[in-house]
Amino acid sequence: MPFQNRSSRTRQSTVLLVGIMVLILTIVAVLAAVLLANGTKETSMQLLHWKDRGTTKNLQEVILGRCYNYITTVNPELRDKDCQKIWETIQKAFIYKNPCNITTEDYQPLLDLANHTVPCNKSLFWSKTNDLVHRYTKTNHNFLTLEDTLLGYMADGVSWCGKPSSPGINYESCPKWSECESNPLSVYWKMASKMFAEGACGVVQVMLNGSIDAGAFRNNSIFGSVEIFNLDPEKVSTVQIWLMQNIGGPPSLALGCMHQWALNTSHWKLAPILVLHSI
Ligand SMILES: *[C@@H]1O[C@H](CO)[C@@H](O)[C@H](O)[C@H]1NC(C)=O
Ligand SMILES: *[C@@H]1O[C@H](CO)[C@@H](O)[C@H](O)[C@H]1NC(C)=O
Ligand SMILES: *[C@@H]1O[C@H](CO)[C@@H](O)[C@H](O)[C@H]1NC(C)=O
Ligand SMILES: *[C@@H]1O[C@H](CO)[C@@H](O)[C@H](O)[C@H]1NC(C)=O
Ligand SMILES: *[C@@H]1O[C@H](CO)[C@@H](O)[C@H](O)[C@H]1NC(C)=O
Ligand SMILES: *[C@@H]1O[C@H](CO)[C@@H](O)[C@H](O)[C@H]1NC(C)=O
């Protein structure tokens, strides 16, 4: 029966075809599910795993302790500041928030509470000379750095950031500047630096690192991008630059672009001082 034979063969190949299609569809579905699952896992991991260290343990105690120490022993003129409220506004600025979406508005209440200025002729700015500048101010009390203001003092060496899920604080990791600029620490330091610069008056000191290949004045540093633009030409008469040069190291004359900028705006007399020091 050739006809029946042909039809059963057709049926067989139809079954085979359907079988293969089902198999292919299953494989595609499984693959899609695996890839999708992998994708969502990856994005949720990204939200939690940042490259910088996480929030400092006992952050509240550290901030409160430093605040009380500052207003009682470091700078008693500020004894009327409310440390408890200052801590609450810091906390409110970042907890339960996306750590890449912090704005200066988040910190505005803090700025209103902690804002203060330093006396004229006493401001000392620095860039890439962290160790040296603070060794210097520890023994010589003529000058004050950002870390000698209340905001700088509370946050020096401390880190914090939030996350949307409970408990709202990420103790495992926090975003680096390179991962996202609008993170709680970067925004805090930019804001504190701006306040520090806005308040400066008279003769202003800047301690730069003369042994940096890319140049002592870098326009992407906090000093080069925030502080210098917030110095008030009405109040600041002179910017005195201390160029700290490693003894024996190659000289760096890369103040060039800062000179250019100062000349363009003809705001200040720049008075560079070359200081040699050994480490
Ligand atoms: C899943 O993602 C990881 C990286 O998170 C990657 O190494 C791996 O190859 C991915 N697997 C598949 C099946 O795409
Ligand atoms: C960032 O924050 C603003 C307000 O603080 C909010 O409107 C916006 O949706 C947030 N964006 C993301 C991506 O979280
Ligand atoms: C900080 O305080 C000074 C006066 O004490 C004021 O002139 C300045 O506007 C304040 N800045 C901010 C950002 O609140
Ligand atoms: C700041 O320094 C300048 C120049 O040395 C001086 O004329 C001025 O009186 C000083 N101001 C204060 C408040 O010490
Ligand atoms: C200047 O920068 C170099 C390289 O980062 C560093 O080794 C040196 O200690 C810095 N100098 C000062 C005075 O901080
Ligand atoms: C910073 O300096 C570099 C090199 O001198 C220049 O290309 C860049 O445009 C500058 N950036 C800003 C924001 O001024």
Side-chain angles (χ1 to χ4, degrees):
M1 304 239 184
F3 177 71
Q4 213 187 345
N5 237 348
R6 213 184 304 134
S7 110
S8 95
R9 229 180 289 134
T10 311
R11 217 180 309 128
Q12 271 179 4
S13 57
T14 308
V15 167
L16 199 68
L17 209 71
V18 169
I20 288 172
M21 272 170 68
V22 167
L23 197 70
I24 288 174
L25 280 178
T26 312
I27 290 172
V28 167
V30 167
L31 216 66
V34 165
L35 284 179
L36 221 65
N38 207 29
T40 52
K41 197 174 91 203
E42 227 174 303
T43 47
S44 69
M45 298 238 301
Q46 249 173 19
L47 278 180
L48 294 173
H49 292 288
W50 304 103
K51 292 203 183 112
D52 224 343
R53 68 207 159 105
T55 302
T56 304
K57 302 270 176 296
N58 306 311
L59 179 70
Q60 174 172 358
E61 288 77 8
V62 172
I63 297 279
L64 273 176
R66 287 184 179 190
C67 183
Y68 283 120
N69 190 42
Y70 189 86
I71 67 169
T72 51
T73 64
V74 179
N75 190 352
E77 275 176 34
L78 299 185
R79 69 180 79 80
D80 292 334
K81 298 274 183 201
D82 185 341
C83 286
Q84 191 63 42
K85 222 176 197 143
I86 284 173
W87 158 248
E88 281 162 20
T89 55
I90 291 179
Q91 178 174 257
K92 246 192 216 130
F94 77 95
I95 66 161
Y96 285 106
K97 289 189 185 168
N98 173 353
C100 285
N101 192 21
I102 301 299
T103 62
T104 46
E105 283 79 52
D106 290 319
Y107 284 118
Q108 191 55 49
L110 172 65
L111 198 55
D112 295 340
L113 287 174
N115 174 12
H116 72 99
T117 55
V118 304
C120 285
N121 292 356
K122 287 208 153 203
S123 304
L124 170 52
F125 298 85
W126 58 272
S127 189
K128 292 271 177 192
T129 51
N130 193 350
D131 272 1
L132 185 66
V133 79
H134 292 118
R135 261 192 280 148
Y136 180 80
T137 51
K138 226 167 240 157
T139 52
N140 181 322
H141 300 286
N142 284 337
F143 298 119
L144 301 167
T145 64
L146 175 59
E147 290 70 24
D148 301 308
T149 66
L150 177 55
L151 286 173
Y153 187 85
M154 288 191 299
D156 195 17
V158 171
S159 128
W160 65 79
C161 70
K163 59 177 180 183
S165 58
S166 183
I169 296 181
N170 192 339
Y171 289 102
E172 275 76 51
S173 61
C174 286
K176 272 196 151 125
W177 175 289
S178 56
E179 288 178 289
C180 58
E181 266 190 52
S182 299
N183 68 64
L185 273 193
S186 298
V187 175
Y188 181 97
W189 281 110
K190 272 192 184 175
M191 178 203 70
S193 309
K194 182 166 176 284
M195 181 207 79
F196 184 54
E198 279 173 349
C201 50
V203 182
V204 159
Q205 315 293 326
V206 186
M207 191 188 282
L208 298 179
N209 187 327
S211 302
I212 296 278
D213 294 336
F217 178 77
R218 298 163 310 122
N219 63 5
N220 60 350
S221 65
I222 287 265
F223 174 70
S225 68
V226 177
E227 289 168 337
I228 200 163
F229 293 110
N230 285 290
L231 294 174
D232 183 351
E234 302 282 307
K235 297 194 295 183
V236 174
S237 58
T238 304
V239 178
Q240 198 150 299
I241 297 160
W242 309 31
L243 199 53
M244 310 309 290
Q245 197 99 59
N246 291 350
I247 288 177
S252 151
L253 297 173
L255 272 182
C257 63
M258 184 163 169
H259 264 296
Q260 200 53 52
W261 185 79
L263 286 176
N264 284 347
T265 54
S266 58
H267 276 162
W268 301 297
K269 182 174 77 182
L270 287 184
I273 302 173
L274 186 65
V275 183
L276 293 173
H277 87 109
S278 59
I279 311 183

